[in-house]
Coordinates of all heavy atoms in Angstrom, one line a residue:
A9 N 0.8 -1.2 0.0 CA 0.0 0.0 0.0 C 0.9 1.3 0.0 O 0.6 2.2 -0.7 CB -0.9 0.0 1.2
S10 N 1.9 1.3 0.8 CA 2.8 2.4 0.9 C 3.6 2.6 -0.5 O 3.7 3.7 -1.0 CB 3.8 2.2 2.0 OG 3.2 2.2 3.2
F11 N 4.0 1.5 -1.0 CA 4.8 1.5 -2.3 C 3.9 2.1 -3.4 O 4.3 3.0 -4.2 CB 5.3 0.2 -2.7 CG 5.9 0.1 -4.0 CD1 7.2 0.5 -4.3 CD2 5.1 -0.4 -5.1 CE1 7.7 0.5 -5.6 CE2 5.7 -0.5 -6.4 CZ 7.0 0.0 -6.6
L12 N 2.7 1.6 -3.5 CA 1.8 2.0 -4.6 C 1.4 3.5 -4.4 O 1.3 4.2 -5.4 CB 0.5 1.1 -4.7 CG 0.7 -0.4 -5.0 CD1 -0.6 -1.1 -5.0 CD2 1.5 -0.6 -6.3
Y13 N 1.2 3.9 -3.2 CA 0.8 5.3 -2.9 C 1.9 6.2 -3.2 O 1.7 7.3 -3.9 CB 0.3 5.4 -1.5 CG -0.3 6.7 -1.2 CD1 -1.7 7.0 -1.3 CD2 0.5 7.8 -0.7 CE1 -2.2 8.2 -1.0 CE2 -0.1 9.0 -0.4 CZ -1.4 9.2 -0.5 OH -2.0 10.5 -0.2
I14 N 3.1 5.9 -2.8 CA 4.2 6.8 -2.9 C 4.9 6.7 -4.3 O 5.2 7.7 -4.9 CB 5.3 6.5 -1.8 CG1 4.6 6.8 -0.4 CG2 6.5 7.4 -2.0 CD1 5.5 6.4 0.8
S15 N 5.2 5.5 -4.7 CA 6.0 5.3 -5.9 C 5.2 5.4 -7.2 O 5.6 5.9 -8.2 CB 6.7 4.0 -5.9 OG 7.6 3.9 -4.8
L16 N 3.9 4.9 -7.2 CA 3.1 4.9 -8.4 C 2.0 6.0 -8.3 O 1.3 6.1 -9.3 CB 2.5 3.5 -8.6 CG 3.4 2.4 -8.8 CD1 2.6 1.1 -9.2 CD2 4.4 2.7 -9.9
G17 N 1.9 6.7 -7.2 CA 0.9 7.7 -7.1 C -0.5 7.2 -7.1 O -1.4 7.9 -7.6
E18 N -0.7 6.0 -6.6 CA -2.0 5.4 -6.7 C -2.9 6.1 -5.7 O -2.6 6.3 -4.5 CB -1.9 3.9 -6.3 CG -3.2 3.2 -6.3 CD -4.0 3.3 -7.6 OE1 -3.4 3.0 -8.7 OE2 -5.2 3.7 -7.6
R19 N -4.2 6.4 -6.2 CA -5.2 7.0 -5.3 C -6.5 6.3 -5.4 O -7.6 6.9 -5.1 CB -5.3 8.5 -5.7 CG -4.1 9.3 -5.5 CD -3.6 9.4 -4.1 NE -2.5 10.3 -3.9 CZ -1.2 9.9 -3.9 NH1 -1.0 8.6 -4.1 NH2 -0.3 10.7 -3.7
G20 N -6.5 5.0 -5.8 CA -7.7 4.2 -5.7 C -8.3 3.9 -7.1 O -9.3 3.2 -7.1
S21 N -7.8 4.4 -8.2 CA -8.4 4.2 -9.5 C -7.7 3.1 -10.3 O -8.3 2.6 -11.3 CB -8.5 5.5 -10.3 OG -7.1 5.9 -10.5
G22 N -6.5 2.6 -9.9 CA -5.8 1.7 -10.7 C -6.2 0.2 -10.5 O -6.8 -0.1 -9.5
R23 N -5.9 -0.6 -11.5 CA -6.2 -2.0 -11.4 C -4.8 -2.8 -11.3 O -3.9 -2.5 -11.9 CB -6.9 -2.5 -12.7 CG -7.2 -3.9 -12.7 CD -7.8 -4.3 -14.1 NE -9.0 -3.6 -14.5 CZ -9.0 -2.7 -15.5 NH1 -7.9 -2.5 -16.2 NH2 -10.1 -2.1 -15.8
Y24 N -4.8 -3.8 -10.4 CA -3.6 -4.6 -10.1 C -3.9 -6.0 -10.1 O -5.1 -6.5 -9.7 CB -3.0 -4.2 -8.8 CG -2.6 -2.7 -8.7 CD1 -3.5 -1.7 -8.3 CD2 -1.3 -2.3 -9.1 CE1 -3.2 -0.4 -8.3 CE2 -1.0 -1.0 -9.1 CZ -1.9 0.0 -8.7 OH -1.6 1.3 -8.7
L25 N -3.0 -6.8 -10.5 CA -3.1 -8.3 -10.6 C -2.1 -8.9 -9.6 O -0.9 -8.7 -9.7 CB -2.8 -8.8 -12.0 CG -2.7 -10.3 -12.1 CD1 -4.0 -11.0 -11.7 CD2 -2.3 -10.7 -13.6
D26 N -2.6 -9.7 -8.7 CA -1.8 -10.5 -7.8 C -1.6 -11.9 -8.5 O -2.5 -12.7 -8.4 CB -2.4 -10.7 -6.4 CG -1.4 -11.3 -5.4 OD1 -0.2 -11.2 -5.7 OD2 -1.8 -12.0 -4.5
Y27 N -0.5 -12.1 -9.2 CA -0.2 -13.3 -9.9 C 0.4 -14.3 -9.0 O 1.2 -14.0 -8.1 CB 0.8 -13.0 -11.0 CG 0.9 -14.0 -12.1 CD1 -0.1 -14.1 -13.1 CD2 2.0 -14.8 -12.2 CE1 0.0 -15.0 -14.1 CE2 2.1 -15.7 -13.2 CZ 1.1 -15.8 -14.2 OH 1.2 -16.7 -15.2
A28 N -0.1 -15.6 -9.2 CA 0.3 -16.7 -8.2 C -0.2 -16.3 -6.8 O 0.5 -16.3 -5.8 CB 1.8 -16.9 -8.2
G29 N -1.5 -15.9 -6.8 CA -2.0 -15.3 -5.6 C -2.5 -16.2 -4.5 O -3.1 -15.7 -3.5
G30 N -2.2 -17.5 -4.6 CA -2.6 -18.4 -3.5 C -4.0 -18.5 -3.2 O -4.9 -18.5 -4.2
Y31 N -4.4 -18.4 -2.0 CA -5.8 -18.5 -1.6 C -6.5 -17.2 -1.7 O -7.7 -17.1 -1.4 CB -5.9 -19.0 -0.1 CG -5.6 -20.5 0.1 CD1 -5.2 -20.9 1.3 CD2 -5.7 -21.4 -1.0 CE1 -4.9 -22.3 1.5 CE2 -5.4 -22.7 -0.8 CZ -5.0 -23.2 0.4 OH -4.7 -24.5 0.6
G32 N -5.8 -16.1 -2.1 CA -6.5 -14.8 -2.3 C -6.4 -13.9 -1.1 O -7.0 -12.9 -1.1
L33 N -5.5 -14.3 -0.2 CA -5.5 -13.5 1.1 C -4.9 -12.1 0.8 O -5.5 -11.1 1.2 CB -4.6 -14.2 2.1 CG -4.3 -13.4 3.4 CD1 -5.6 -13.1 4.1 CD2 -3.4 -14.2 4.3
L34 N -3.8 -12.0 0.0 CA -3.3 -10.6 -0.3 C -4.2 -9.8 -1.1 O -4.4 -8.6 -0.8 CB -1.9 -10.8 -1.0 CG -1.2 -9.5 -1.2 CD1 -0.9 -8.8 0.1 CD2 0.1 -9.7 -2.0
T35 N -4.9 -10.4 -2.1 CA -5.9 -9.7 -2.9 C -7.0 -9.1 -2.0 O -7.4 -8.0 -2.1 CB -6.5 -10.6 -3.9 OG1 -5.4 -11.1 -4.8 CG2 -7.6 -9.9 -4.7
R36 N -7.5 -10.0 -1.1 CA -8.5 -9.5 -0.1 C -8.0 -8.4 0.7 O -8.7 -7.4 1.0 CB -8.9 -10.7 0.7 CG -10.0 -10.4 1.8 CD -11.4 -10.4 1.1 NE -11.8 -9.1 0.6 CZ -12.8 -9.0 -0.2 NH1 -13.5 -10.0 -0.6 NH2 -13.1 -7.8 -0.6
L37 N -6.8 -8.5 1.3 CA -6.3 -7.4 2.2 C -6.1 -6.1 1.4 O -6.4 -5.0 1.9 CB -4.9 -7.9 2.7 CG -5.0 -9.0 3.8 CD1 -3.6 -9.5 4.1 CD2 -5.7 -8.5 5.1
M38 N -5.6 -6.2 0.2 CA -5.4 -5.0 -0.6 C -6.8 -4.3 -1.0 O -6.9 -3.1 -1.0 CB -4.6 -5.3 -1.9 CG -3.2 -5.7 -1.5 SD -2.3 -4.5 -0.5 CE -2.2 -3.1 -1.5
R39 N -7.8 -5.2 -1.3 CA -9.1 -4.6 -1.6 C -9.7 -4.0 -0.4 O -10.4 -3.0 -0.5 CB -10.0 -5.7 -2.2 CG -9.5 -6.2 -3.5 CD -10.7 -7.0 -4.2 NE -11.7 -6.1 -4.7 CZ -11.7 -5.4 -5.8 NH1 -10.8 -5.6 -6.7 NH2 -12.7 -4.6 -6.1
D40 N -9.5 -4.6 0.8 CA -10.0 -4.0 2.0 C -9.3 -2.6 2.3 O -9.9 -1.8 3.0 CB -9.7 -4.9 3.2 CG -10.5 -6.2 3.2 OD1 -11.5 -6.2 2.4 OD2 -10.3 -7.1 3.9
R41 N -8.2 -2.4 1.7 CA -7.5 -1.1 1.8 C -7.9 -0.1 0.7 O -7.3 1.0 0.7 CB -6.0 -1.3 1.9 CG -5.5 -1.8 3.2 CD -4.0 -2.3 3.1 NE -3.4 -2.5 4.4 CZ -3.6 -3.6 5.1 NH1 -4.5 -4.5 4.7 NH2 -3.1 -3.7 6.3
G42 N -8.7 -0.6 -0.2 CA -9.2 0.3 -1.2 C -8.5 0.3 -2.5 O -8.7 1.1 -3.4
F43 N -7.6 -0.7 -2.7 CA -6.9 -0.9 -3.9 C -7.6 -1.9 -4.8 O -8.1 -3.0 -4.4 CB -5.5 -1.4 -3.7 CG -4.6 -0.4 -3.0 CD1 -4.6 -0.3 -1.6 CD2 -3.9 0.6 -3.7 CE1 -3.8 0.6 -0.9 CE2 -3.2 1.6 -3.0 CZ -3.1 1.6 -1.6
G44 N -7.6 -1.7 -6.1 CA -8.3 -2.5 -7.1 C -7.5 -3.8 -7.5 O -7.1 -3.9 -8.6
F45 N -7.4 -4.7 -6.5 CA -6.6 -5.9 -6.8 C -7.5 -7.0 -7.3 O -8.6 -7.2 -6.8 CB -5.9 -6.3 -5.5 CG -4.4 -5.9 -5.4 CD1 -4.2 -4.5 -5.3 CD2 -3.4 -6.7 -5.4 CE1 -2.9 -4.0 -5.3 CE2 -2.1 -6.3 -5.4 CZ -1.8 -4.9 -5.3
Y46 N -6.9 -7.9 -8.2 CA -7.5 -9.1 -8.7 C -6.6 -10.2 -8.5 O -5.4 -10.1 -8.5 CB -8.0 -8.9 -10.1 CG -9.1 -7.8 -10.3 CD1 -8.8 -6.5 -10.4 CD2 -10.4 -8.2 -10.3 CE1 -9.8 -5.5 -10.5 CE2 -11.4 -7.3 -10.4 CZ -11.1 -5.9 -10.5 OH -12.1 -5.0 -10.6
W47 N -7.2 -11.4 -8.5 CA -6.4 -12.7 -8.2 C -6.3 -13.5 -9.5 O -7.1 -13.6 -10.3 CB -7.2 -13.4 -7.2 CG -6.7 -14.8 -6.9 CD1 -5.9 -15.2 -5.9 CD2 -7.1 -16.0 -7.6 NE1 -5.7 -16.6 -5.9 CE2 -6.5 -17.1 -7.0 CE3 -8.0 -16.3 -8.7 CZ2 -6.6 -18.4 -7.4 CZ3 -8.1 -17.6 -9.1 CH2 -7.5 -18.6 -8.5
L48 N -5.1 -14.2 -9.5 CA -4.9 -15.2 -10.6 C -3.9 -16.2 -10.1 O -2.8 -15.9 -9.6 CB -4.4 -14.6 -11.9 CG -4.3 -15.5 -13.1 CD1 -5.6 -16.1 -13.5 CD2 -3.6 -14.8 -14.3
D49 N -4.2 -17.5 -10.2 CA -3.3 -18.6 -9.7 C -3.7 -19.9 -10.4 O -4.8 -20.3 -10.3 CB -3.3 -18.8 -8.2 CG -2.1 -19.6 -7.7 OD1 -1.9 -20.6 -8.2 OD2 -1.5 -19.1 -6.7
R50 N -2.7 -20.5 -11.1 CA -3.0 -21.7 -11.8 C -3.0 -23.0 -10.9 O -3.5 -24.0 -11.3 CB -2.0 -21.9 -12.9 CG -0.6 -22.3 -12.5 CD 0.4 -22.6 -13.6 NE 0.6 -21.4 -14.4 CZ 1.4 -21.3 -15.4 NH1 2.1 -22.4 -15.8 NH2 1.6 -20.2 -16.1
Y51 N -2.5 -22.9 -9.7 CA -2.4 -24.0 -8.8 C -3.4 -24.0 -7.7 O -3.7 -25.0 -7.2 CB -1.0 -24.2 -8.3 CG 0.1 -24.5 -9.3 CD1 1.0 -23.5 -9.7 CD2 0.2 -25.7 -9.8 CE1 2.0 -23.8 -10.7 CE2 1.2 -26.0 -10.8 CZ 2.1 -25.1 -11.2 OH 3.0 -25.3 -12.1
S52 N -3.7 -22.8 -7.2 CA -4.5 -22.7 -6.0 C -5.9 -22.3 -6.2 O -6.2 -21.5 -7.1 CB -3.8 -21.7 -5.1 OG -4.5 -21.5 -3.9
P53 N -6.8 -22.8 -5.4 CA -8.2 -22.3 -5.4 C -8.3 -20.9 -4.8 O -7.5 -20.5 -3.9 CB -9.0 -23.3 -4.6 CG -8.0 -23.8 -3.6 CD -6.7 -23.8 -4.4

């Protein structure tokens, strides 16, 4: 969240992909913080 806000200037409108995202925990946490994260993983549900 700090990196995206400071380095990429993210203010809530961007789309992000968590590749190899496992069970989706990080995607869920980032969405709870207001970031547009999406999940993709070929091995994990």
Side-chain angles (χ1 to χ4, degrees):
S10 297
F11 172 79
L12 297 181
Y13 187 89
I14 296 172
S15 298
L16 297 187
E18 179 57 52
R19 297 298 183 267
S21 60
R23 182 186 301 113
Y24 299 88
L25 168 62
D26 189 29
Y27 197 75
Y31 289 157
L33 177 56
L34 184 61
T35 298
R36 180 79 273 167
L37 290 171
M38 294 306 295
R39 294 197 70 88
D40 290 349
R41 285 168 167 76
F43 294 91
F45 264 66
Y46 293 86
W47 170 97
L48 185 63
D49 195 311
R50 71 178 64 180
Y51 293 107
S52 177

